[in-house]
Amino acid sequence: MGEFIVDADVMARARFGTSRLTETLAALKMLRSAAVPPWHRPWADAHAAAFRERLAGDPVGAALLDAAFGSTWTADFLTVPPSAPDLTIDEELGFLESLDDDAVRADLEVATGPLPPALTATGLAATAAALLRWTWEHTVRDEWPRRLRVLRADVVSRTARLSGGGWSAALDGISPGVRWLANGRLQVNAAPYPPRDVRGRDLLFIAATGPGGWVSWRLPDTYAVVYPVTGVLAGGPAPLPDALVRLLGRTRARLLAALDAPQSTSALTARTGLPLGSVGGHLRVLLDAGLLERRRSGREVLYWRSDAGRTLLAAADEGH
């Protein structure tokens, strides 16, 4: 299994975050996949034909993607983590665009082995960057605000777990093959790769809405674990317990039941169809009653159920 060797200083500096390029790569991987999860299928179906057309007009790009995604490894030049928070897609692609053809080919050979004749072409970094920009502009950019709300909610949830239960709690269920081990070891995947000593380096945990995850690095100083966010499969609302409705009123009961994971006021407005001002007012009442917690994430304030809120909802469900 793959492991990162860490120490207390690394984990004290480690942080959760988001990345436009990481989200774009997750989208690109799904567009290439034949096994898209059901909750991503409408998005994939909406963009699949345009993606196939884009590759049909770019045989070098198509060959590059075929070589970049191995069975257990993705070419390193595609997965480089961000150098700072909240970078634009162009800023994140700057590192890739600085690479020469030999560096790109070396990463591709690690991923899948000997390369086809099409990849003797020049300008491979520019070809890869153009494919990622196309994916961002045509499939991700318009819904980035919605995706970012989901990602930030998960980041706040993980940070809250970290504060309450340490790294073992924060990483619990984060991604298949990822878990906190004893003695300064972090398992990052289940593949039989040798451990990497990342002591003295920076470590990121980057949330993405696509399925699965990966590890990446910007050598020599930055390592990252990309993980899929939880809560993407959102089903319809469950019936509200009558006792909870009588106690709180239907709207506040509905909001409390909806806050199983951190969400912003605007996200709750979109989810419930209630007016923004109404949602904000009810959240303040629930917060003042001790049933919610909140934390700022970027420009938004996210809310989630407190221990008291969870206890109240569980008791109401038992009596339902």
Side-chain angles (χ1 to χ4, degrees):
M1 61 187 177
E3 295 178 11
F4 284 169
I5 299 173
V6 300
D7 58 20
D9 289 340
V10 170
M11 300 313 294
R13 294 194 309 271
R15 64 186 187 274
F16 290 89
T18 63
S19 157
R20 287 170 172 81
L21 182 56
T22 298
E23 187 68 10
T24 301
L25 181 59
L28 179 62
K29 292 178 74 171
M30 276 197 291
L31 287 171
R32 297 186 70 255
S33 175
V36 177
W39 54 96
H40 287 298
R41 176 56 63 186
W43 171 87
D45 289 345
H47 299 293
F51 181 67
R52 289 193 298 268
E53 183 178 352
R54 173 64 175 80
L55 290 186
D58 183 6
V60 174
L64 186 148
L65 291 184
D66 286 343
F69 295 101
S71 58
T72 62
W73 198 259
T74 300
D76 287 352
F77 65 83
L78 289 178
T79 64
V80 176
S83 58
D86 202 27
L87 296 178
T88 67
I89 193 70
D90 289 332
E91 289 170 331
E92 288 203 65
L93 283 171
F95 177 83
L96 167 57
E97 292 176 316
S98 73
L99 299 177
D100 60 31
D101 291 325
D102 288 340
V104 172
R105 289 191 191 98
D107 283 352
L108 292 172
E109 288 173 347
V110 170
T112 53
L115 304 179
L119 296 181
T120 60
T122 59
L124 295 178
T127 297
L131 283 166
L132 287 163
R133 275 198 183 86
W134 184 93
T135 304
W136 163 261
E137 292 170 359
H138 291 269
T139 76
V140 177
R141 181 177 59 190
D142 288 349
E143 57 178 48
W144 174 245
R146 180 187 65 80
R147 290 181 181 231
L148 187 58
R149 288 194 294 270
V150 173
L151 299 174
R152 282 179 172 166
D154 193 89
V155 166
V156 170
S157 177
R158 295 285 172 188
T159 303
R161 292 191 201 180
L162 175 62
S163 299
W167 281 105
S168 180
L171 301 180
D172 182 40
I174 193 169
S175 183
V178 177
R179 62 192 178 105
W180 179 250
L181 303 173
N183 303 318
R185 291 157 49 235
L186 171 65
Q187 181 179 323
V188 294
N189 56 51
Y193 294 120
R196 284 183 174 260
D197 190 341
V198 304
R199 289 174 292 186
R201 311 293 190 241
D202 291 327
L203 178 60
L204 308 176
F205 294 91
I206 302 176
T209 62
W214 60 87
V215 297
S216 62
W217 38 75
R218 181 188 292 268
L219 298 177
D221 296 324
T222 305
Y223 289 78
V225 176
V226 176
Y227 69 94
V229 298
T230 59
V232 174
L233 244 184
L240 296 172
D242 291 338
L244 191 67
V245 172
R246 292 196 300 271
L247 178 66
L248 299 178
R250 182 165 298 278
T251 298
R252 289 174 192 159
R254 184 180 177 189
L255 290 171
L256 184 65
L259 285 167
D260 52 340
Q263 296 183 64
S264 67
T265 306
S266 56
L268 285 166
T269 298
R271 179 172 175 177
T272 63
L274 296 168
L276 182 64
S278 174
V279 170
H282 289 303
L283 289 176
R284 283 192 294 274
V285 172
L286 293 171
L287 184 69
D288 290 344
L291 300 178
L292 299 182
E293 296 185 32
R294 70 178 176 184
R295 180 174 299 178
R296 179 167 292 279
S297 177
R299 296 185 181 134
E300 295 182 313
V301 175
L302 301 179
Y303 296 82
W304 65 95
R305 286 198 295 265
S306 66
D307 289 341
R310 287 192 290 271
T311 300
L312 177 61
L313 191 61
D317 282 335
E318 288 177 2
H320 184 52

